[in-house]
Amino acid sequence: MIDQAFSAGAAIELLLKATLATVDIHLIRESGSNHIAALSLSGKHTKPAVPPLPDIRTLAPPGAVTILELLANQKFSGSSDLKTVLAVRDSAVHMGFVDARANERAVGGLVKLVGWVLAVRRGLGQDGDWDTFWSKHAQQAREILDARNEEIFTEFQRKISAAKARYAKLAGTESGRDAIPYLEEGEEPLAVNEISRETVCPACGCRGRTRFEVVLRPLVVDSEFPPGQPANYGQVIGRPDQFHCSVCKLALVGDDLTAAGIVEEVALSAEEMSRDGFFDWLLMNSIDEQP
């Protein structure tokens, strides 16, 4: 079981980094790591003094996922799965101990993560065939993925049912019904890199709010730049990050958003981009400024 936990963590980390390195070796290099080693591995440096095991510090898996999101132009919904896989791996490596139930969840998370990365690889023109990757374990991996998706859907339905019950209790009294319009107006303060849009609650039908994470998407101009090379960074979009209904208290994140159909990216309005502090955030987080 310890071997399985270690292998799961190593597999997703290596797949993430292999995908990025195939695009450009420098994408996996952590800021401040050995430039010469990275150049040598990419065949762009001619000096012979390269150690057998190049000294190159690489991104942690969450950082690799962030870059893949930009390359694929799609939000990654399995952050909790990634955390589980890495936590179980770290427990095996550093403590020599693995919880059986946590390990089972990690295997399910791994299969889901691999599915996402393979889809990204296909979009980037890389080999992303499911059967080739899993080889003789392909059918077993599909069964694990189906079970994981069923688990996600069941949990989503449980949350919807609980939210409907809370709404029914609230709407069952006159004072509760009177409070609903006021509850619909409630919202927590936004961070500078967040926007919020009104969304019909999938549980009670009231006015909920979807929060979007603001990200910068490179624009590509094929006539002037090679495919995949950013021409400028003028496209600012919002990706669904979480949903909350103040009436029935339904809260959705990650896979729950996909189950609810809250997946569409949005373009920011002029008003949203003119909020206090947003322009400064935009300058600080432009792709040109990133290491």
Side-chain angles (χ1 to χ4, degrees):
M1 194 159 55
I2 288 179
D3 288 343
Q4 185 182 61
F6 177 77
S7 297
I12 192 60
E13 182 163 355
L14 291 174
L15 181 61
L16 286 166
K17 292 177 180 178
T19 303
L20 291 177
T22 301
V23 177
D24 191 318
I25 188 68
H26 295 280
L27 290 177
I28 68 170
R29 184 174 59 82
E30 207 173 45
S31 177
S33 65
N34 193 312
H35 294 270
I36 295 177
L39 288 169
S40 298
L41 288 171
S42 64
K44 298 176 181 177
H45 187 75
T46 58
K47 288 186 178 180
V50 179
L53 295 176
D55 178 20
I56 175 171
R57 294 197 301 275
T58 58
L59 290 172
V65 165
T66 298
I67 297 178
L68 274 185
E69 285 181 327
L70 286 172
L71 289 172
N73 288 334
Q74 61 176 267
K75 176 73 174 178
F76 174 66
S77 64
S79 57
S80 61
D81 292 305
L82 181 59
K83 288 179 181 177
T84 299
V85 172
L86 297 179
V88 170
R89 178 201 64 180
D90 290 346
S91 177
V93 173
H94 301 297
M95 302 295 293
F97 170 80
V98 175
D99 178 78
R101 293 183 62 185
N103 191 52
E104 183 178 349
R105 290 195 303 271
V107 171
L110 170 68
V111 175
K112 182 171 178 290
L113 290 164
V114 167
W116 180 78
V117 179
L118 291 179
V120 171
R121 288 175 64 91
R122 292 192 294 272
L124 294 173
Q126 300 178 21
D127 181 12
D129 183 71
W130 177 275
D131 291 335
T132 300
F133 179 86
W134 289 109
S135 186
K136 64 180 181 180
H137 303 294
Q139 183 58 38
Q140 182 183 7
R142 289 189 187 279
E143 292 172 358
I144 292 173
L145 181 61
D146 290 343
R148 176 67 179 132
N149 288 335
E150 180 64 27
E151 179 184 327
I152 291 170
F153 181 74
T154 299
E155 177 62 15
F156 171 72
Q157 290 298 323
R158 186 196 65 77
K159 291 179 179 179
I160 293 292
S161 297
K164 286 182 176 180
R166 289 192 294 268
Y167 176 76
K169 184 177 181 180
L170 177 69
T173 65
E174 183 177 353
S175 60
R177 291 190 294 272
D178 291 342
I180 288 175
Y182 299 98
L183 291 172
E184 287 181 309
E185 299 299 326
E187 183 179 13
E188 296 293 325
L190 294 170
V192 69
N193 64 327
E194 291 181 319
I195 62 170
S196 175
R197 299 281 180 88
E198 183 177 300
T199 307
V200 175
C201 177
C204 69
C206 294
R207 290 181 289 127
R209 306 292 299 187
T210 297
R211 288 194 178 206
F212 296 80
E213 176 192 12
V214 178
V215 296
L216 308 180
R217 173 178 291 171
L219 297 180
V220 176
V221 182
D222 291 337
S223 61
E224 299 180 11
F225 292 82
Q229 298 300 311
N232 58 67
Y233 311 103
Q235 190 173 14
V236 185
I237 61 166
R239 288 180 178 155
D241 186 58
Q242 55 183 292
F243 168 85
H244 183 261
C245 176
S246 296
V247 178
C248 68
K249 308 304 181 186
L250 177 67
L252 304 175
V253 296
D255 292 312
D256 291 334
L257 293 174
T258 303
I262 305 175
V263 296
E264 294 296 323
E265 297 175 344
V266 298
L268 273 65
S269 67
E271 181 180 357
E272 289 167 334
M273 295 184 68
S274 63
R275 291 179 298 146
D276 288 344
F278 184 79
F279 184 70
D280 291 336
W281 176 87
L282 199 62
L283 289 177
M284 292 292 294
N285 290 274
S286 67
I287 296 179
D288 284 345
E289 297 293 324
Q290 293 181 2

